[in-house]
Amino acid sequence: MTQSKAKLVPYVIAAGVVALVGFLQSLRHWSERGRILEELEWKTYDWRARGALQHNPPCATNLGFVRIDDQDISNIAEGFGGELDYQYGLYWPRAVYGRLVTELKAQGAKLVAFDVLFAEPRVDHPMIQRATNEPPISSDEFFADAVRAAGNVALATSEGLSPHSMFRDAQPALGDISTLKDSDGVLRRATAFHVLRFWNRHIDRYARLYGFDPAKAISEGVDLPLEGTTNTLRVKIPIRADGKFDVMALQEQFEEKKPLGAMWTLPYRDVRVWHMGILMAAAQLGLDLEQAKVDLTAGRIALPGTNGVSRTLPVDGSGRFYVDWSITDTNAQLTTDNISFQLRSDKYRREGVTNKLSSLFRDRVLIVGSTATGNDLTDRGGTPIQNDTFLVGKHWNVANSVIMGRFIARSPLWLELLIVAILGFAATGLTLWLQAPRPTPAVLLLAAAYIWLAHHLYVEHRQWLPIFLPVVGALLLTHVALVTYQSIFEQREKRRVKGVFAKLVSPNVVNQLLQREEIHLGGKRERITVFFADVRGFTTLTDTNQARADKYVHAHQLTGAAAEAHYDQIAAETLETVNLYLAAIADQIKKHNGTLDKYIGDCVMAFWGAPTLDERHAINCVRAAVDAQIAMHQINARRKVNNDRLEVENARRATTGEEPLPLLPLLALGTGINTGTAIVGMMGSEAHIINYTIFGRDVNLASRLEGVSGHSRIIIGEATLRDLERLEPELARVCVELDPVKVKGIASEVRIWEVPWKQFLPPEEPAPAAAAPTPAAAH
């Protein structure tokens, strides 16, 4: 992969993560598969709702709650210590609610809503004597009459259940009390309305009596078994083109009476039943729910008012909306009382005891509901603001939201995707552009800032920005993905650096490189010191060995493979000799932390000052050159000892007529050093051969100085000497200036100095006599 493409990889990774997070964010809008992620986002909503509650948001002051708790059950069972003129057990006759309705109407309540279902008549309840001069009536009739007389009552419907026709005939308002919890069991939302189908009373009566589904009787007909026989009664309700049915024809099917005529009417009517909380708010604000404009596609329901007040409720495609949970049952703004105390006030009112009457719920819209213990007495569950509470509170929270005009506005999909993109690319910038260890704290700080912003917008304006996926996905996941990539890439880059430099520099230089935050191997200008060293005598050695091999092959009449094998053996010996000297030079370069650039035949090129900065690069280079000469001298000394033994052996061989053994060649080293500015970096193609090297004028000068160095000499340029004078004056003082020289490629003469390396020989090593150069060894 080219360097330019490698730079794009982290951005491609970041874009991929952002695209994935955006896809997951969009799942909640059109797929149930996003439910798990939605539940995690709900947790952030609950946290914000609790935070908003702690800020004591303003609430409506005309909401009320008449509770039915365990104490009320006990009070009514015992007659409230004589304060009531009746006593009833756990399941009260509907007359109790009738007396409550009458009392609250007398107090001036605007609306009395029930979180209690009255779906069936209770014939088991005792009869009620309304007046001494009137016959007793059923408890249900008593309640229905009270509802009719009050005219401010809302009765409950829920999940297809509605008040019995006896109560509906009393013309109450109908409010939905359904509880539809989210998948994690928490009640956060409510449905604005349900459409409830009320069957014609004739169809409803027969359906209840015979137990059949009216809708099926219309669509396909039903077969009803006849009691005491195996026969069935076929019931089919035909519908005319105008959607009406004949009541008389229906009666004929059941009563076998010939109809006297026809009476056509609608089989049912569909009624939009609003959430009880909306109904309460409408009673307070004067909203005309009959004229409501529902646009689920646009996500809103317009509630016009009769007095200039209107509300627009934000909903989803199913007509559901998030409840602004701002009021608990202990909130001081909520007017509350027990039902038994209100019933006691009713008794005082009936008896004319005016000084004990209650007026607590004047001008209030209130809900009547249970907080008693027992599964069949109350509805409990979790809400965003309480883990376990009485769900009757949903009604006054919905009513409060509508009255205050404060609704939860969840951000649209386009805004959520924009947030994901902005945070994702912000994480990319922070991770890639900041130096370690700053990216992680910066990303965490950005996450905290965004969470604060989302929390603030909810608390102050009820604007719901997503938190979970933008923070965990777009911010943190993008950051982690890029950090992981950087770690993998960094390890790969370190292996590449180690592969490039392991054989060129000392291990401690490699380690310094790997510890850097950034490694720049591209071309850049550096001040360095360059070292060229040439093994003198190599040409003479190869010529001598070639001549010896030719003589041997001729003398032994070798041909073909045998001759080639001998030539290969001599070539291997020659290469082994040269490598022995070159390895000694390379060891000294690495010892002094130099960078071994390349071998050019029998020449070694190295430099100091790159890739790691080295202020003492000139000194280290000169010290390496001195030690390389010493190493060459020590090799020659050992080989000289071996040659002495070989000469003794050859003298013996001469007496026996055997061929003499070849002596070990002794080679010398010429070194040129120069300091200056050069271009340093990787050269070549990564697809083929690549090398970390240097080039420039001062590099060329070092090569020219090596050419004039002769045998066993170290020649340095003026810039190198000046560095020695500045950093190691004692070494500079021993250097000897020579006559300026004219070198190829440079117009003016160049001042040069010789480093007298022989005085640095170990004490036990005597300085060798200077060897006179031979014409064959000159280069």
Side-chain angles (χ1 to χ4, degrees), residues 621-677:
C621 179
V622 172
R623 289 293 184 188
V626 170
D627 287 349
Q629 291 286 359
I630 293 173
M632 292 283 288
H633 163 72
Q634 292 173 339
I635 292 174
N636 286 337
R638 290 192 296 269
R639 293 170 75 87
K640 178 66 171 60
V641 172
N642 287 335
N643 284 343
D644 290 343
R645 287 196 292 265
L646 288 174
E647 288 177 347
V648 173
E649 174 61 20
N650 286 339
R652 185 193 64 77
R653 284 174 172 261
T655 61
T656 61
E658 296 179 77
E659 290 186 5
L661 298 174
L663 297 180
L664 300 177
L666 305 181
L667 304 180
L669 186 67
T671 306
I673 296 174
N674 187 50
T675 300
T677 301

Side-chain angles (χ1 to χ4, degrees), residues 525-601:
R525 299 176 75 251
E526 295 283 4
R527 192 168 190 277
I528 45 85
T529 297
V530 191
F531 167 101
F532 279 89
D534 186 82
V535 178
R536 310 300 194 201
F538 176 71
T539 303
T540 301
L541 171 64
T542 55
D543 291 345
T544 300
N545 285 348
Q546 181 66 37
R548 182 162 57 88
D550 290 340
K551 181 180 178 181
Y552 184 88
V553 169
H554 179 73
H556 292 80
Q557 298 181 349
L558 300 179
T559 61
E564 290 297 326
H566 184 71
Y567 282 123
D568 289 344
Q569 178 185 351
I570 296 302
E573 291 175 0
T574 303
L575 187 61
E576 181 181 0
T577 299
V578 174
N579 284 342
L580 173 67
Y581 285 94
L582 293 180
I585 300 169
D587 288 343
Q588 300 311 312
I589 292 171
K590 290 186 177 182
K591 172 184 174 183
H592 290 276
N593 296 331
T595 299
L596 182 60
D597 189 318
K598 62 176 72 70
Y599 296 103
I600 311 171

Side-chain angles (χ1 to χ4, degrees), residues 400-587:
N400 176 72
S401 180
V402 177
I403 292 171
M404 301 299 295
R406 191 170 61 225
F407 304 107
I408 310 300
R410 193 161 188 182
S411 53
L413 177 59
W414 68 265
L415 180 57
E416 294 179 356
L417 296 180
L418 180 62
I419 291 171
V420 167
I422 291 174
L423 293 182
F425 290 118
T428 302
L430 293 175
T431 305
L432 298 181
W433 300 339
L434 295 182
Q435 291 185 350
R438 295 177 182 176
T440 297
V443 169
L444 293 177
L445 182 62
L446 178 58
Y450 175 76
I451 291 172
W452 177 87
L453 174 64
H455 184 271
H456 175 76
L457 287 177
Y458 182 87
V459 170
E460 297 298 328
H461 307 288
R462 296 305 189 267
Q463 295 293 319
W464 179 357
L465 297 182
I467 287 181
F468 180 76
L469 276 175
V471 171
V472 176
L475 264 178
L476 300 184
L477 183 59
T478 301
H479 175 64
V480 170
L482 292 176
V483 168
T484 302
Y485 169 76
Q486 286 179 325
S487 177
I488 295 173
F489 178 79
E490 182 179 307
Q491 292 302 320
R492 185 174 63 188
E493 185 69 5
K494 285 185 176 181
R495 288 194 296 270
R496 187 172 80 95
V497 170
K498 199 167 185 178
V500 171
F501 289 102
K503 295 181 180 180
L504 305 183
V505 297
S506 65
N508 65 315
V509 173
V510 175
N511 291 333
Q512 289 178 39
L513 280 174
L514 298 182
Q515 290 171 3
R516 286 188 180 183
E517 291 184 2
E518 295 184 15
I519 301 174
H520 296 289
L521 300 184
K524 61 181 302 187
R525 299 176 75 251
E526 295 283 4
R527 192 168 190 277
I528 45 85
T529 297
V530 191
F531 167 101
F532 279 89
D534 186 82
V535 178
R536 310 300 194 201
F538 176 71
T539 303
T540 301
L541 171 64
T542 55
D543 291 345
T544 300
N545 285 348
Q546 181 66 37
R548 182 162 57 88
D550 290 340
K551 181 180 178 181
Y552 184 88
V553 169
H554 179 73
H556 292 80
Q557 298 181 349
L558 300 179
T559 61
E564 290 297 326
H566 184 71
Y567 282 123
D568 289 344
Q569 178 185 351
I570 296 302
E573 291 175 0
T574 303
L575 187 61
E576 181 181 0
T577 299
V578 174
N579 284 342
L580 173 67
Y581 285 94
L582 293 180
I585 300 169
D587 288 343

Side-chain angles (χ1 to χ4, degrees), residues 7 18 27 76 88 393 422 475 480 623 665 677 707 729 757:
K7 290 181 178 180
V18 171
L27 280 181
I76 294 176
Y88 297 116
I422 291 174
L475 264 178
V480 170
R623 289 293 184 188
T677 301
W757 64 270

Side-chain angles (χ1 to χ4, degrees), residues 146-166:
V147 170
R148 185 179 295 106
N152 67 340
V153 177
L155 298 184
T157 69
S158 178
E159 300 175 0
L161 295 176
S162 63
H164 188 266
S165 58
M166 176 190 304

Side-chain angles (χ1 to χ4, degrees), residues 263-284:
M263 186 171 67
W264 295 91
T265 187
L266 293 174
Y268 59 82
R269 60 187 179 93
D270 288 336
V271 176
R272 184 183 288 164
V273 180
W274 293 92
H275 188 279
M276 189 66 83
I278 295 178
L279 202 66
M280 294 168 64
Q284 175 62 33

Side-chain angles (χ1 to χ4, degrees), residues 689-702:
I689 298 175
I690 191 166
N691 184 39
Y692 186 73
T693 187
I694 58 174
F695 60 92
R697 177 187 180 280
D698 290 304
V699 178
N700 296 335
L701 179 56

